[in-house]
Amino acid sequence: MSAAAVIVAAGSGRRIGGEPKQFRMLGPAPLLAWSCHALSRNEGISELVVVVPTGVAVAPPGWLTDLCDIVVEGGPTRRDSVGLGLAGLSGEHDSVLVHDGARPFLSARLIGLVLEACREGPAIPGLPLTDTVKLIGEGGLVLSTLDRDRLRAVQTPQGFPLELLRTLHEQSPHDGPEATDDAFLAESVGIPVRIVPGDPLNLKVTTGADLALAEWLVRSGDPAAAGIEPPAFAAG
């Protein structure tokens, strides 16, 4: 079976400030380069599209074009950017993985788990919660305590049969709740979504504290111990 991957990296990084976080250095390479490297060298992935901000798409850096097949311009929302990434695929594929460029520590094990599971339908990685979770109402008052045994913190990559995901993006209404991930589009029309075990190292860099943690992990050697290596990086 043929599989493609789309990395969504079109955000402005406004919560950290300054240069978009996906292009900041993380150890020896830009943060985005880590997941590009993991997917581009994976034998299960035959085509990689990376979705970037408008200014970057006009003249992408050489290291990025070396690591992926196609670079496309993103849209105003994550959903728009994923749709543009799917449209940018040049080949015919059975399935597709969608990954957030802000998750640098992507292991071959997790890629393989999602690829295998999505042959049967949508599949997403998730982690059990350790904190107690409360549902709150107006004024911050607690309405109930949720059963954390039935809750998962969801990650990417999320895997789908390619034509199914294309159809979901084309036909799902844009005037409803915001789709913060692609699984939501399947859930909203009753398509079952399977959870596979996530990876604690597969953190999402959203804030300055997240970036500091990612930098510490690189120095500690934890990603390397899990087989997650950055690409050789040459500026430009």
Side-chain angles (χ1 to χ4, degrees):
M1 296 182 70
S2 173
V6 173
I7 295 180
V8 186
S12 63
R14 63 184 182 277
R15 278 177 279 193
I16 292 182
E19 181 183 21
K21 62 194 173 189
Q22 60 269 39
F23 299 107
R24 294 190 181 202
M25 295 299 291
L26 176 59
L31 188 151
L32 175 57
W34 287 73
S35 55
C36 288
H37 181 58
L39 287 163
S40 65
R41 69 174 180 168
N42 191 283
E43 293 182 354
I45 303 297
S46 56
E47 185 177 16
L48 174 61
V49 171
V50 180
V51 188
V52 297
T54 302
V56 179
V58 174
W63 62 262
L64 180 55
T65 55
D66 287 343
L67 287 170
C68 70
D69 299 294
I70 300 170
V71 178
V72 301
E73 178 180 325
T77 68
R78 184 188 186 279
R79 175 177 173 176
D80 292 327
S81 292
V82 174
L84 290 165
L86 295 174
L89 291 169
S90 64
E92 295 298 321
H93 307 283
D94 300 296
S95 55
V96 62
L97 301 187
V98 179
H99 186 61
D100 290 332
R103 294 185 185 272
F105 303 136
L106 176 58
S107 68
R109 181 198 68 84
L110 187 57
I111 295 171
L113 276 177
V114 179
L115 278 176
E116 181 66 25
C118 77
R119 293 180 179 183
E120 305 298 326
I124 62 177
L127 293 173
L129 300 185
T130 56
D131 293 327
T132 297
V133 181
K134 305 285 188 181
L135 179 66
I136 62 172
E138 293 183 8
L141 296 177
V142 172
L143 297 178
S144 64
T145 299
L146 303 181
D147 180 3
R148 66 186 179 191
D149 290 340
R150 300 183 63 187
L151 300 174
R152 294 294 182 270
V154 171
Q155 303 177 323
T156 65
Q158 299 189 351
F160 303 83
L162 176 56
E163 290 310 312
L164 170 62
L165 188 57
R166 280 178 167 157
T167 298
L168 289 172
H169 272 269
E170 291 168 0
Q171 297 184 358
S172 296
H174 285 262
D175 56 357
E178 179 184 358
T180 56
D181 71 353
D182 295 281
F184 177 83
L185 300 180
E187 297 161 34
S188 65
V189 292
I191 296 174
V193 178
R194 181 180 301 278
I195 289 278
V196 301
D199 184 346
L201 266 179
N202 186 31
L203 63 88
K204 185 177 182 181
V205 176
T206 302
T207 66
D210 297 329
L211 184 58
L213 174 58
E215 291 168 343
W216 180 85
L217 286 168
V218 172
R219 293 194 299 270
S220 75
D222 284 5
I228 301 168
E229 296 284 356
F233 172 67

